[in-house]
């Protein structure tokens, strides 16, 4: 999922898409000089959570044109490309056509309006030979997503692996040196939503001696998984906070013509052996014959210009920007002006984080949400009637950083357009039980996005800060996206000193543990605390000065109303149906509206010269 923050205040993640374009061009050039293969891979989710995508009509009409400036070798589709039919068709008719057979959607189809028949949005697979002769079979598999609109179809992986075309591709008559399995799909098969275990087991059962490399996404974490001695997987964070890097040496190929051990750069050295006590992969460990010559490395790069220029040109003092990268940055700046994304609503007086503080503590964003809901969600004709306002915490998707709160930030913090409904005159003794019932139940999987809350980062022995990661736009000129990992076949970094910015005082950020241990973060950080948050929260308004009301207006989001609130009311002893629900305020006033409304009313101090904080971990 796309997201951006005021990345000028989040210094770790301040590169824009033009910087990424320059970086990829430098690295492709370096790879050519070293005689190695470098593959660029993206694993989907190009929509929602960023003004540059969300403020256009249709969503992504402008941002997709910017993404297309990267010459990817393989791409796959994300669930955010499938919720809305218009976006799914734009992906099918436009974006996928830019990349041709490199856009691989092995289990995602769409109805072709011309024929009325389902066909694949991209290619089913890609068999190709790299510049230096490595022969690769690639699949792109989305997790078993069910929230797509009715114009598309997601084939369940358990059915995909039984289809004759898939089995024929695995048993392809031409030589295969490496299987690449990419997808918006958790790489660790023990995660409930992952289907990579099924793919791994099927391929390994048919081709026991060919390496498998996976690249995943969706769970928004940094992770590296060892499946067996010749199979690993990489997941590269979220929101363009992370650029993932994996490298391999020692593939048994009779046609590889490149440099096996390039000089002057670190070479992969780690066997595919799990060295840390992370969660089990959950994949069946099929046997491979004989010892493996494969060695690996992996690295998680922070998404900023200093990191990019260091690894691209060896120093921040050398020329980094290509004209093509500068052109993309200029396009972003112009698009942001066109969409008025820098329009200022107010000045946030402090940083509010999702998870770095306990629920409702000072600096926890849900304390702000509680206050803002009570102040802005008002039906003027019923303003004096006591009301309980219940929202799911999942409608907040990002931290809110001290400083300017703009039109763009409104999409970053809460991109969804859930409207406010209500049931009038509910007995307080019934309405007051609803929040506790909701929080004791299952997390409410939203119609738009539920990926992060399907799991707990502690399941992976991660201490992962929930600070900006899968997006690509900053306040003035930056475009961030759910960037997929880079696979570099033969060498780790194209520079001499990968861990380059160690300092006595570490900046707050990622502290990652994966199957290869704790040395994957390219830039060391101090860990940001993580506190769990509940499913839902409640705001009270217009209550009597003393005592409790007999009845209240029970206000809630249309997202949770019929499916969650009505059953909770029944459990509390209330007899209500969908027919009792109506909109509390105009349905155009949504979860994307109340924070801007609050900022316009209460955050006008220091406008227009807002003091800017340093970001989560610094200001919290």
């Amino acid at each position: 999922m796309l997201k951006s923050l005021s990345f000028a205040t989040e210094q770790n993640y301040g590169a824009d898409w033009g910087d990424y374009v320059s970086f990829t061009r430098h690295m492709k050039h370096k790879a050519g000089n070293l005689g190695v293969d470098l593959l660029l891979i993206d694993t989907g989710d190009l929509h929602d959570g960023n003004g540059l995508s969300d403020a256009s009509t249709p969503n992504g009409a402008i941002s997709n044109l910017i993404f297309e400036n990267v010459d990817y070798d393989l791409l796959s589709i994300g669930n955010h490309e499938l919720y809305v039919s218009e976006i799914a068709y734009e992906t099918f008719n436009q974006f996928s056509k830019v990349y041709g057979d490199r856009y691989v959607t092995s289990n995602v189809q769409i109805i072709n309006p011309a024929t009325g028949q389902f066909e694949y949005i991209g290619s089913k697979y890609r068999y190709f030979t790299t510049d230096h002769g490595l022969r690769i079979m690639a699949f792109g598999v989305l997790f078993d997503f069910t929230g797509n609109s009715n114009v598309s179809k997601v084939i369940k992986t358990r059915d995909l692996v039984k289809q004759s075309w898939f089995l024929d591709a695995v048993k392809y008559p031409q030589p295969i040196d490496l299987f690449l399995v990419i997808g918006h799909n958790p790489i660790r098969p023990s995660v409930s939503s992952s289907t990579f275990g099924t793919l791994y087991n099927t391929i390994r059962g048919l081709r026991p001696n060919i390496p498998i490399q996976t690249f995943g996404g969706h769970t928004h974490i940094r992770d590296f998984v060892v499946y067996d001695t010749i199979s690993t997987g990489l997941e590269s964070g979220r929101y363009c906070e992370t650029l993932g890097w994996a490298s391999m040496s020692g593939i048994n190929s009779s046609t590889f013509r490149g440099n096996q051990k390039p000089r002057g750069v670190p070479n992969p050295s780690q066997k595919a052996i799990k060295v840390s006590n992370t969660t089990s992969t959950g994949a069946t460990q099929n046997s491979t014959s004989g010892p493996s010559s494969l060695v690996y490395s992996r690295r998680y790069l922070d998404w900023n210009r200093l990191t990019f220029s260091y690894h691209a040109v060896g120093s921040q003092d050398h020329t980094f920007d290509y004209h093509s990268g500068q052109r993309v940055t200029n396009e972003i700046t112009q698009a942001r002006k066109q969409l008025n994304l820098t329009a200022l609503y107010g000045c946030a007086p402090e940083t509010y984080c999702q998870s770095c503080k306990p629920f409702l503590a000072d600096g926890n964003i849900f304390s702000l949400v509680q206050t803002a809901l009570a102040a802005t969600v008002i039906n003027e004709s019923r303003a004096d009637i006591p009301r309980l306002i219940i929202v799911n915490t999942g409608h907040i998707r990002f931290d809110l950083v001290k400083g300017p709160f703009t039109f763009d930030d409104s999409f970053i913090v809460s991109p969804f357009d859930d409207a406010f409904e209500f049931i009038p005159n509910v007995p307080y003794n019934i309405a007051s039980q609803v929040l506790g019932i909701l929080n004791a139940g299952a997390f409410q999987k939203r119609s738009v996005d539920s990926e992060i809350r399907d799991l707990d980062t502690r399941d992976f022995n991660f201490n992962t800060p929930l600070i900006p990661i899968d997006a690509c736009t900053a306040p003035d000129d930056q475009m961030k996206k759910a960037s997929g990992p880079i696979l570099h076949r033969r060498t780790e970094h194209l520079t001499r000193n990968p861990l380059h910015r160690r300092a006595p005082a570490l900046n707050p950020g990622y502290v990652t543990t994966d199957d290869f241990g704790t040395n994957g973060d390219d830039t060391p950080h101090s860990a940001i605390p993580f506190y769990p948050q509940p499913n839902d929260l409640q705001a009270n308004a217009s209550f009597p000065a003393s005592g409790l009301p007999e009845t209240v207006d029970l206000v809630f989001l249309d997202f949770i109303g019929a499916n969650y609130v009505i059953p909770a009311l029944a459990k509390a002893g209330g007899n209500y149906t969908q027919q009792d629900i109506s909109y509390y305020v105009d349905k155009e006033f949504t979860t994307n509206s109340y924070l801007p409304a609050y900022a316009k009313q209460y955050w006008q101090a220091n406008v227009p010269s807002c003091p800017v904080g340093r970001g989560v971990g610094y200001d919290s």
Side-chain angles (χ1 to χ4, degrees):
M1 177 178 174
L2 274 184
K3 202 110 30 261
S4 88
L5 187 67
S6 298
F7 276 85
T9 62
E10 292 287 353
Q11 300 172 23
N12 291 345
Y13 315 107
D16 70 24
W17 200 252
D19 298 326
Y20 181 49
V21 169
S22 293
F23 175 74
T24 58
R25 289 200 60 182
H26 277 293
M27 300 308 269
K28 284 281 191 178
H29 180 70
K30 279 197 162 191
N33 287 342
L34 289 170
V36 299
D37 285 315
L38 173 67
L39 302 181
L40 296 175
I41 296 172
D42 180 273
T43 55
D45 269 10
L46 305 182
H47 297 264
D48 301 321
N50 181 298
L52 202 60
S53 69
D54 297 2
S56 64
T57 304
N59 178 312
I62 293 174
S63 55
N64 272 3
L65 297 176
I66 293 169
F67 294 141
E68 291 166 7
N69 284 280
V70 174
D71 187 21
Y72 284 112
D73 296 277
L74 288 169
L75 307 91
S76 60
I77 199 166
N79 50 300
H80 283 262
E81 280 76 87
L82 297 174
Y83 287 111
V84 178
S85 297
E86 186 178 27
I87 293 172
Y89 275 123
E90 192 280 337
T91 303
F92 174 56
N93 293 320
Q94 305 295 330
F95 190 76
S96 70
K97 300 302 186 288
V98 170
Y99 291 102
D101 69 346
R102 293 176 288 170
Y103 196 76
V104 187
T105 61
S106 303
N107 68 329
V108 182
Q109 298 178 330
I110 195 168
I111 297 173
N112 188 329
T115 64
Q117 301 298 312
F118 277 103
E119 60 183 73
Y120 289 91
I121 292 180
S123 56
K124 292 187 290 187
Y125 63 89
R126 185 184 183 209
Y127 178 78
F128 65 105
T129 302
T130 66
D131 291 343
H132 296 95
L134 190 67
R135 298 159 297 190
I136 294 176
M137 174 61 74
F139 301 104
V141 183
L142 179 66
F143 73 101
D144 289 348
F145 176 56
T146 59
N148 50 302
S149 72
N150 60 9
V151 303
S152 62
K153 178 195 298 184
V154 179
I155 301 165
K156 292 186 181 302
T157 303
R158 65 173 180 265
D159 297 322
L160 169 69
V161 297
K162 299 174 185 176
Q163 293 183 349
S164 58
W165 76 261
F166 180 84
L167 296 172
D168 289 344
V170 174
K171 297 181 290 186
Y172 205 64
Q174 300 299 317
I176 297 174
D177 299 319
L178 174 69
F179 283 102
L180 276 182
V181 183
I182 72 169
H184 200 72
N185 204 330
I187 59 164
R188 195 170 290 273
S190 56
V191 175
S192 60
S193 57
S194 175
T195 64
F196 273 169
T198 300
L199 293 160
Y200 163 82
N201 289 329
T202 302
I203 296 171
R204 179 57 71 236
L206 294 171
R207 304 300 290 264
N209 301 315
I210 297 178
I212 302 170
Q213 181 66 39
T214 71
F215 291 101
H218 188 60
T219 41
H220 295 180
I221 58 176
R222 293 180 173 187
D223 199 10
F224 186 82
V225 173
V226 173
Y227 300 110
D228 62 35
T229 58
I230 57 172
S231 302
T232 69
L234 178 72
E235 188 167 340
S236 301
R238 60 171 188 159
Y239 309 160
C240 272
E241 283 183 1
T242 303
L243 180 64
W245 179 282
S247 56
M248 305 168 61
S249 274
I251 295 177
N252 183 18
S253 172
S254 62
T255 56
F256 180 70
R257 301 179 301 275
N259 191 351
Q260 294 284 353
K261 293 183 178 180
R263 294 184 177 183
V265 293
N267 278 244
S269 60
Q270 175 69 51
K271 293 282 189 180
I273 300 172
K274 184 175 175 180
V275 300
S276 63
N277 186 27
T278 49
T279 303
S280 169
T281 64
T284 301
Q285 296 294 302
N286 294 284
S287 61
T288 57
S289 61
S292 170
S293 60
L294 283 171
V295 285
Y296 297 84
S297 68
R298 55 80 180 92
R299 187 77 65 183
Y300 310 105
L301 280 66
D302 288 351
W303 189 277
N304 58 61
R305 276 182 61 94
L306 292 178
T307 295
F308 288 175
S309 60
Y310 182 89
H311 289 296
V313 297
S315 169
Q316 288 86 30
D317 298 328
H318 297 164
T319 300
F320 170 73
D321 295 294
Y322 274 95
H323 290 304
S324 55
Q326 291 176 322
R327 174 180 52 78
V328 170
T329 294
N330 291 336
E331 289 175 358
I332 293 168
T333 300
Q334 293 304 311
R336 289 178 58 79
K337 290 179 180 177
Q338 174 188 339
L339 295 171
N340 201 28
L341 294 181
T342 58
L344 182 63
Y345 291 136
C347 297
E350 60 180 299
T351 290
Y352 302 93
C353 65
Q354 286 180 293
S355 302
C356 74
K357 294 290 184 69
F359 182 62
L360 298 184
D362 290 343
N364 174 263
I365 197 169
F366 297 111
S367 65
L368 169 65
V369 167
Q370 197 174 62
T371 301
L373 288 171
T376 62
V377 181
I378 303 172
N379 179 325
E380 293 298 338
S381 68
R382 304 180 66 85
D384 295 333
I385 298 174
R387 60 191 179 276
L388 300 180
I389 307 167
I390 297 178
V391 297
N392 62 308
T393 56
H395 85 276
I396 294 292
R397 289 291 296 179
F398 213 61
D399 309 310
L400 197 162
V401 175
K402 179 181 179 180
F405 182 70
T406 65
F407 182 38
D408 193 24
D409 293 306
S410 70
F411 293 103
I412 293 160
V413 177
S414 184
F416 311 120
D417 56 358
D418 300 324
F420 293 90
E421 297 179 330
F422 84 120
I423 299 175
N425 306 318
V426 178
Y428 178 77
N429 67 331
I430 292 176
S432 61
Q433 298 180 55
V434 171
L435 179 66
I437 293 170
L438 292 176
N439 278 331
F443 175 71
Q444 294 116 36
K445 295 188 177 183
R446 42 179 323 109
S447 58
V448 179
D449 197 83
S450 62
E451 47 255 48
I452 284 185
R453 302 302 282 284
D454 285 346
L455 48 95
D456 190 322
T457 52
R458 292 169 296 179
D459 293 339
F460 304 94
N461 291 326
F462 274 55
N463 191 350
T464 306
L466 294 180
I467 50 180
I469 321 174
D470 227 37
C472 305
T473 9
D476 297 320
D477 64 353
Q478 296 175 11
M479 156 66 81
K480 311 213 175 301
K481 118 164 212 338
S483 124
I486 288 183
L487 166 67
H488 183 208
R489 178 182 174 234
R490 293 288 172 178
T491 179
E492 179 180 8
H493 287 286
L494 302 183
T495 52
R496 293 179 181 272
N497 183 18
L499 288 170
H500 51 277
R501 287 178 300 283
R502 291 193 180 275
L506 302 179
N507 292 332
Y510 274 105
V511 178
T512 308
T513 299
D514 58 25
D515 281 6
F516 268 10
T518 59
N519 63 347
D521 295 318
D522 185 60
T523 301
H525 293 291
S526 60
I528 296 176
F530 174 82
Y531 295 91
Q533 309 293 313
N535 292 344
D536 301 276
L537 68 87
Q538 177 177 284
N540 303 352
S542 298
F543 269 45
S546 62
L548 297 172
E550 290 187 9
T551 63
V552 296
D553 285 349
L554 183 62
V555 183
F556 45 84
L557 300 180
D558 54 4
F559 159 63
I560 63 174
N563 292 330
Y564 297 97
V565 174
I566 293 295
L569 283 166
K571 194 168 184 178
N575 183 21
Y576 298 95
T577 69
Q578 179 70 49
Q579 284 66 45
D580 297 306
I581 298 175
S582 58
Y583 286 106
Y584 182 71
V585 291
D586 190 299
K587 64 181 180 181
E588 298 303 315
F589 187 89
T590 71
T591 47
N592 182 241
S593 308
Y594 74 88
L595 284 173
Y598 183 82
K600 290 176 184 178
Q601 187 171 356
Y602 296 99
W603 285 353
Q604 293 308 298
N606 300 311
V607 171
S609 300
C610 301
V612 176
R614 298 188 66 192
V616 175
Y618 297 96
D619 299 331
S620 54

